[in-house]
Amino acid sequence: MNKIQSLSGYLHEYQKSVHQPEKFWSRIAESFHWKKPWDQVLSWDFNGPEVKWFENAKLNITENIFERQLFTHGEKTAIIWEPNESDEPALHITYKQLFDKTCQFANTLEAQGVGKGDRVIIYMPMIPEAAVAMLACARIGAVHSVVFAGFSSSALADRINDCEAKMVLTSDGNFRGAKNIPVKAVVDEALEKTNTVEKVIVCQRTKAEVHMEPGRDLWWHEAIKDQDTKHKAATVDSEDLLFILYTSGSTGKPKGVVHTTGGYMVYSQYSFLNVFQYEQNDVYWCTADIGWITGHSYIIYGPLLSGATTLMFEGVPTYPHPGRFWEIIDKYQVNQFYTAPTAIRALQAYGLDPITPYKLDSLKVIGSVGEPINEEAWHWYHDHIGKGKCPLVDTWWQTETGGIMISPLAGITPNKPAHASLPLPGVQPIIVDAEGNELKGNNVEGNLCIKFPWPSMIRTTYGDHKRCKETYFSAYPGMYFTGDGVKRDHDGYLRILGRVDDVMNVSGHRMGTAEVENAINEHPKVIESAVVGFPHDIKGQGIYAYVICDIEGRTEAGLIEEIKDTVRNIIGPIAKPDQVQIVSGLPKTRSGKIMRRILRKVASNDISNLGDTSTLLNPEVVDEIIKGAKTN
Ligand code: WTA
């Protein structure tokens, strides 16, 4: 179904998608089940922005996963679940079983007062119930917002408040490697700062003792007990919200990226099938967490809409040993494996010994996502995991794009190390200079924009449409601005260079510098702070904080630890700064703007060319900062 088979086929499809986008996408959309067809394929105005795909069409995305495919796929494994501990039995859940569980939980949600359009927060470990939770929301037309279960209670509370969630789905605890994380307590703490949540459903996973608030909290297994496993899917509009996913930007507060139903369905499935070249008996594994967009589009929706077998792993790559990923690949004969450069680099650091016991000969395709993959990691992954024979798909995309935008198609697009390569059909990238002039031809470098809508694109930022416009559609009017720098090389292949705004990419996680600064500034001794990213061997980027503080009554080392803990408590462990340098001032321009360029260079240990610092308001602090710099 709609699968490209060759390079000439790709080029042909690409041309069609640019010249007749509506015809192109309607042909692809026709293979799905719509309760009512669309009146118009696309209407759009990037100045609004207002984008509608498959206007007035009616559907339910879960009918496209289940009812549309049960006839052929009912007994096929939908989800293989590999638990944190390798000696705990794995689960193989068929499409029919997943359908029953989804329907049963859809009935449960409705019985607990959740209806169409209501927002449901999912703060859960990587267990099959998390997938069931997402699908059950979609089944009844509720809007899910998955929050990565490593976020702190205040980050969770912010998200609950922003989308005015009615329900939270969580667990009694999370097994993550050797840790048993008490997530229910985090939810309880978050709910003290919110007032919209009526019910909390708690899935039993670790059997840890947890507080259950009478009248508010219910156990998952008890809540589903009397619910039917049949459920009539709600009818939703193509442009009704499917989910909200919060992500960091260059300003302080994370924003709720809104994805709607019809376009997201079509694009997540189409991109999955084509990038990974999935074949019907393959076992596909994406190691992301469902708390990120990669988990949404390429563990759950894309694969399940394609009738694929998708593997879901609860644990971490190094537990109980650094060969765990490779063990799992052999155990289930995984054919497509999709992970992040940070995981590759972390595992590369263990050398080849952890790989030697495994054959890895089932692999046909390996993939990378989340950050630029450096050439060394690319070659290591390609040679030692892909054994030099598997195409490596370096997939560039974003929470906002909903699906993979620029990537080789496995086995079709010639591989070029560290290059995301070519746009998928329907994706029209454009490289612009700082003034927005198009940089045509090859051998050019600039900012990456997209000039034409694609079906799974962001529609708005929840509750604040102006912010959506300002963030993505204002820098270069009439275009979607990605925030990434890009180079088109002499062959016309694209290489993503990384963020050009104040967004860091730490272990593949997006983190706004302002968000970390806001957290640091919450510490009572902190007067002002500036955060920048610096190159980090494993994480891609590390977090470096320059902090002005009142040190009285503290030791410097003690204060630095307190500041790190403050960030951990306010955002979560992923945002904890790697380096904190206490300074007496920050380099500022005469208009009071922090010169981040200088701070970035010092943090990166690259002080040979700091540029002209004489125009600064306080040039003397530069020397002090250089002297006190933490070496990484
Ligand atoms: C970066 C993750 C280089 C990029 C799907 C983007 C990449 C941000 C790649 C989005 C890649 C993602 N090569 N950089 N293959 N994939 N990025 O929203 O900077 O978590 O803007 O989505 O990650 O991160 P997000």
Side-chain angles (χ1 to χ4, degrees), residues 407-483:
S407 168
L409 306 183
I412 290 175
T413 316
N415 254 180
K416 189 169 220 186
H419 284 68
S421 300
L422 299 174
L424 263 66
V427 174
Q428 299 190 33
I430 167 169
I431 305 180
V432 297
D433 65 15
E435 281 73 48
N437 304 309
E438 177 169 7
L439 300 173
K440 293 195 176 138
N442 293 344
N443 269 325
V444 291
E445 196 176 308
N447 292 341
L448 176 61
C449 293
I450 314 286
K451 64 179 178 191
F452 194 83
W454 63 101
S456 62
M457 69 181 290
I458 179 175
R459 298 299 195 268
T460 187
T461 44
Y462 192 76
D464 192 351
H465 195 59
K466 210 169 122 231
R467 191 164 176 207
C468 176
K469 182 179 172 121
E470 279 165 8
T471 313
Y472 307 105
F473 298 92
S474 298
Y476 305 107
M479 292 179 225
Y480 167 83
F481 176 44
T482 64

Side-chain angles (χ1 to χ4, degrees), residues 551-563:
I551 196 153
E552 206 190 311
R554 302 284 212 283
T555 63
E556 189 168 313
L559 195 51
I560 288 174
E561 282 317 302
E562 283 180 36
I563 289 170

Side-chain angles (χ1 to χ4, degrees), residues 247 292-294 338 368-373 394-400 406 420 482-484 496-499 505 508-510:
T247 191
W292 314 117
I293 190 69
T294 308
Y338 190 30
S368 167
V369 60
E371 54 181 307
I373 179 163
D394 176 3
T395 64
W396 174 83
W397 58 297
Q398 310 177 295
T399 305
E400 294 85 346
I406 302 177
T482 64
D484 280 312
I496 307 296
L497 303 171
R499 302 289 305 196
N505 195 324
H509 303 317
R510 261 167 81 167

Side-chain angles (χ1 to χ4, degrees), residues 198-212:
E198 292 167 12
K199 290 274 159 58
V200 177
I201 302 185
V202 186
C203 186
Q204 205 168 43
R205 171 63 187 126
T206 61
K207 304 243 163 81
E209 283 269 335
V210 295
H211 166 74
M212 295 293 277

Side-chain angles (χ1 to χ4, degrees), residues 190-365:
L191 293 187
E192 286 170 19
K193 296 175 219 143
T194 65
N195 55 22
T196 56
V197 174
E198 292 167 12
K199 290 274 159 58
V200 177
I201 302 185
V202 186
C203 186
Q204 205 168 43
R205 171 63 187 126
T206 61
K207 304 243 163 81
E209 283 269 335
V210 295
H211 166 74
M212 295 293 277
E213 183 70 23
R216 187 195 71 186
D217 300 355
L218 299 99
W219 286 107
W220 181 294
H221 56 276
E222 284 170 7
I224 65 170
K225 214 168 42 204
D226 299 323
Q227 297 298 336
D228 198 355
T229 53
K230 303 231 165 346
H231 179 273
K232 191 167 175 298
T235 299
V236 309
D237 192 276
S238 178
E239 283 300 333
D240 278 346
L241 270 63
L242 177 63
F243 65 87
I244 304 168
L245 191 55
Y246 286 85
T247 191
S248 299
S250 47
T251 51
K253 204 172 110 207
K255 47 188 177 284
V257 172
V258 168
H259 284 290
T260 58
T261 311
Y264 177 83
M265 170 178 79
V266 170
Y267 196 81
S268 61
Q269 192 275 340
Y270 177 79
S271 53
F272 169 75
L273 199 66
N274 281 292
V275 169
F276 297 100
Q277 291 288 304
Y278 182 85
E279 288 175 283
Q280 270 316 317
N281 292 318
D282 289 346
V283 174
Y284 160 88
W285 180 20
C286 165
T287 70
D289 189 282
I290 49 147
W292 314 117
I293 190 69
T294 308
H296 283 61
S297 302
Y298 301 111
I299 296 179
I300 308 292
Y301 288 111
L304 294 178
L305 284 161
S306 306
T309 297
T310 176
L311 197 150
M312 201 173 167
F313 174 43
E314 185 184 33
V316 299
T318 49
Y319 181 83
H321 58 82
R324 185 74 191 273
F325 271 4
W326 325 129
E327 179 184 80
I328 296 173
I329 290 174
D330 273 12
K331 181 171 173 189
Y332 299 106
Q333 295 289 290
V334 170
N335 303 109
Q336 290 89 10
F337 176 67
Y338 190 30
T339 195
T342 187
I344 306 284
R345 289 189 298 262
L347 295 171
Q348 186 182 356
Y350 288 91
L352 296 179
D353 286 353
I355 308 173
T356 325
Y358 306 104
K359 287 204 172 100
L360 304 180
D361 57 353
S362 56
L363 286 177
K364 298 197 282 192
V365 177

